[in-house]
C-alpha cells in the first residue's frame, strides 16, 4: 500500500555569474612581509590610497627564453624547441637539451604555457558542470576531478546552474578543451557539437551513445538500504525522494520501488526539492512524521535531507534511532558528524571525478576510451538505525 504526496519542485540554482568558475578569496589587506610587524598601538598608519608610492617593491623581472639562451650558449630558437613538447624538439641533442634545462633551473625560468597551448589549439582548461555547486556530494566529485586533472596538466572550472544553451556556448568557444557533465537534469541537456570532447558522469548511458558515460551503482545502494531496514524488522518505510528529473534520482526511485515490492513493505512517500536544502527537507519531514500512521524508518535521497529529518524529529520529541531509523545517500562529511552518526549509502564521488577526467584526457589525446563498469556503492552502517520496536 502506497501513500504519496508531492512538493513543488524548484529549478536548479544558479551560480554567481552566467558561467560561474572557481573564485579565490582575497585577504582584506596586504600581508606582513619578513622583517616587518603588524601595526600596533603607537604605530603610524597610512590611510588607503595615501602614500601608496613605494609601499610595495617593484616586481622582479622574470627570466626570459633569451636569458636562458645566453646562459646556455645556444640560440633562442633552440630554447623554444626544447620546451615546445613537439616532435621537432626531439631533434635537439641530449647534451644540449640538458644544458638548456640546467640553465632554466638556475635562472628559475618557467616556459609560458599559454604559448604552447596556443600552438596546440588548446586552452588547458576543462569545464565541470554540476547542477548545484553547493551540494556536498559535488564537492567530493570536484576533489577527484582536481586530483586527476593535475596529473594531465589541466585546470578545472566549475559551473553550476547551467542549461543546454550555456553548455552549447561553452562547447563552441575555445575556452575549454573538454566538458565533464555531472548528474544532469533532463532540461539541461541538448545537442553538443560532434567535435566537442565530453564525458557524462552519473548520467543516463543512453544520453549520448557517442560519448563516454560513467555511472554509479545507485540502484545497488538503494536496494542495500531497503534490505537493511527490512532486516531490522521495519515493515513500513518512509521515503523522502527528490522531485528533480535527473537520471540518478529515477534510478533510485525505481530500485526503491522494486525492493519494497519484493519484500512486501508499506510506503509513505513525500517529494522534496534537494536544491532548497535542509529547510525544505525539515518542512517535508514534519509532514511525514506527523502522518496519522507514521513510519518508524525513513530513507532519504541525500544526507542533507536526512539532516532535515533529524531536526524535525527532535522538534517533535522523537529520538533517532529509538523512535525513528534514518538512512541517507551520498556519505558526505556531515553524515559522520550528525548525532547519532548517519547510516548512509556511500557514493564514491572522488572515484567518479577521477574516472571522468581520465576518460576526458584520453579523448583529448585522440585515444579510444575503455568503458568503465558502474562504480560500486556500499552501505555505511552507523548508529542512526535500530531494530523495530
Amino acid at each position: 500500500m502506497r501513500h504519496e504526496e508531492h512538493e513543488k519542485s524548484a529549478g536548479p540554482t544558479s551560480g554567481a555569474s552566467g558561467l560561474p568558475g572557481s573564485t579565490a578569496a582575497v585577504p582584506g589587506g596586504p600581508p606582513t612581509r619578513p622583517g616587518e610587524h603588524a601595526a600596533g598601538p603607537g604605530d603610524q598608519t597610512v590611510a588607503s590610497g595615501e602614500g601608496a608610492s613605494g609601499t610595495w617593491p617593484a616586481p622582479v623581472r622574470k627570466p626570459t627564453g633569451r636569458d636562458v639562451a645566453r646562459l646556455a650558449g645556444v640560440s633562442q630558437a633552440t630554447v623554444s624547441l626544447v620546451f615546445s613538447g613537439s616532435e621537432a624538439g626531439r631533434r635537439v641533442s641530449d647534451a644540449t637539451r640538458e644544458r638548456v634545462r640546467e640553465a632554466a633551473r638556475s635562472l628559475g625560468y618557467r616556459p609560458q604555457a599559454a604559448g604552447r597551448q596556443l600552438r596546440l589549439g588548446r586552452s588547458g582548461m576543462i569545464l565541470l558542470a554540476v547542477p548545484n555547486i553547493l551540494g556536498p556530494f559535488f564537492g567530493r566529485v570536484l576533489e577527484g576531478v582536481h586530483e586527476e586533472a593535475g596529473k594531465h596538466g589541466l585546470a578545472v572550472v566549475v559551473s553550476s546552474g547551467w542549461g543546454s544553451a550555456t553548455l552549447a556556448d561553452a562547447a563552441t568557444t575555445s575556452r575549454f578543451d573538454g566538458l565533464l557533465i555531472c548528474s544532469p537534469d533532463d532540461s539541461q541537456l541538448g545537442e553538443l557539437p560532434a567535435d566537442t570532447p565530453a564525458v557524462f558522469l552519473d548520467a543516463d548511458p543512453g544520453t549520448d551513445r557517442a560519448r563516454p558515460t560513467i555511472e554509479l551503482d545507485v540502484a545497488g545502494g538503494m536496494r542495500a538500504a531497503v534490505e537493511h531496514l527490512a532486516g531490522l524488522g521495519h515493515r513500513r518505510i518512509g521515503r523522502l525522494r527528490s522531485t528533480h528529473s535527473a537520471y540518478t534520482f529515477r534510478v533510485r526511485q525505481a530500485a526503491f520501488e522494486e525492493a519494497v515490492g519484493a519484500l512486501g513493505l508499506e510506503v509513505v512517500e513525500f517529494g522534496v526539492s534537494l536544491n532548497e536544502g535542509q529547510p525544505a527537507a525539515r518542512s517535508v519531514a514534519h509532514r511525514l512524521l506527523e502522518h496519522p500512521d507514521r513510519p518508524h524508518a525513513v530513507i532519504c535521497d541525500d544526507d542533507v535531507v536526512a539532516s532535515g529529518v533529524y531536526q524535525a524529529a527532535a522538534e517533535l520529541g522523537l529520538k533517532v534511532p529509538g523512535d525513528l531509523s534514518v538512512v541517507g545517500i551520498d556519505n558526505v562529511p556531515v553524515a559522520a558528524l550528525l548525532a547519532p552518526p548517519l547510516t548512509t549509502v556511500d557514493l564514491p564521488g572522488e572515484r567518479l571525478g577521477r574516472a571522468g577526467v581520465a576518460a576526458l584526457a584520453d579523448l583529448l589525446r585522440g585515444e579510444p576510451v575503455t568503458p568503465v563498469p558502474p562504480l560500486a556503492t556500499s552501505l555505511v552502517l552507523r548508529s542512526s538505525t535500530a531494530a523495530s520496536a
Side-chain angles (χ1 to χ4, degrees):
M1 180 173 63
R2 178 181 304 279
H3 304 272
E4 182 173 358
E5 299 189 29
H6 303 270
E7 283 290 297
K8 184 178 179 181
S9 171
T13 56
S14 299
S17 62
L19 183 62
S22 55
T23 59
V26 180
T32 301
R33 296 189 292 264
E36 294 184 350
H37 65 279
D43 289 346
Q44 183 177 4
T45 60
V46 179
S48 175
E50 296 180 10
S53 176
T55 299
W56 299 104
V60 177
R61 185 180 72 87
K62 292 182 179 179
T64 66
R66 181 175 299 176
D67 297 326
V68 175
R70 186 180 300 113
L71 182 60
V74 298
S75 69
Q76 194 170 347
T78 298
V79 173
S80 297
L81 283 174
V82 168
F83 291 109
S84 68
S86 65
E87 187 66 32
R90 297 174 186 173
R91 295 201 295 265
V92 179
S93 70
D94 291 343
T96 300
R97 188 182 296 111
E98 181 54 34
R99 194 163 72 250
V100 169
R101 292 190 181 281
E102 177 57 35
R105 283 192 292 269
S106 67
L107 292 171
Y109 171 73
R110 297 287 186 274
Q112 292 295 318
R116 293 199 309 275
Q117 290 161 354
L118 183 61
R119 288 191 297 274
L120 295 171
R122 299 274 180 84
S123 69
M125 295 192 299
I126 59 176
L127 173 67
L128 170 63
V130 300
N132 181 2
I133 202 168
L134 299 179
F137 171 71
F138 299 116
R140 295 187 62 183
V141 176
L142 180 58
E143 182 178 341
V145 167
H146 270 305
E147 180 182 324
E148 187 68 21
K151 298 177 183 178
H152 299 279
L154 297 169
V156 181
V157 174
V158 185
S159 169
S160 177
W162 45 272
S164 57
T166 306
L167 213 57
D169 177 65
T172 53
T173 67
S174 59
R175 284 179 290 176
F176 305 107
D177 295 338
L179 311 178
L180 289 173
I181 304 171
C182 187
S183 306
D185 185 283
D186 292 350
S187 66
Q188 296 173 307
L189 293 174
E191 288 292 327
L192 292 176
D195 60 351
T196 299
V199 174
F200 291 92
L201 307 178
D202 189 29
D204 186 347
T207 297
D208 189 338
R209 297 189 182 280
R211 292 184 168 93
T213 298
I214 301 173
E215 291 185 83
L216 297 167
D217 183 17
V218 291
M222 178 61 80
R223 285 192 296 269
V226 173
E227 290 167 0
H228 169 63
L229 292 177
L232 292 173
H234 295 282
R235 309 303 300 169
R236 185 174 175 79
I237 306 296
R239 169 101 166 100
L240 294 188
R241 59 167 179 78
S242 170
T243 55
H244 299 304
S245 64
Y247 171 76
T248 183
F249 298 120
R250 295 200 300 270
V251 170
R252 297 174 201 197
Q253 184 66 14
F256 175 80
E257 291 177 356
E258 179 184 0
V260 297
L263 293 167
L265 306 180
E266 293 187 4
V267 175
V268 180
E269 183 173 3
F270 287 80
V272 60
S273 171
L274 302 190
N275 282 346
E276 294 180 11
Q278 189 191 46
R282 170 180 163 272
S283 174
V284 177
H286 265 280
R287 295 172 58 196
L288 173 68
L289 299 180
E290 291 168 344
H291 196 277
D293 189 13
R294 72 169 178 83
H296 293 267
V298 60
I299 296 177
C300 306
D301 252 349
D302 76 2
D303 295 343
V304 174
V305 171
S307 71
V309 173
Y310 272 50
Q311 186 176 9
E315 291 167 351
L316 294 171
L318 302 175
K319 295 186 180 300
V320 177
D323 300 309
L324 181 69
S325 290
V326 183
V327 178
I329 296 179
D330 282 348
N331 195 29
V332 296
V334 71
L337 301 177
L338 292 172
L342 177 67
T343 292
T344 185
V345 176
D346 179 63
L347 302 185
E350 297 86 353
R351 285 184 59 204
L352 182 69
R354 289 194 296 269
V357 174
L360 185 57
D362 285 343
L363 291 180
L364 295 178
R365 289 192 295 266
E367 299 175 1
V369 177
T370 303
V372 178
L375 303 182
T377 59
S378 59
L379 184 64
V380 180
L381 297 177
R382 297 194 178 101
S383 49
S384 67
T385 54
S388 177

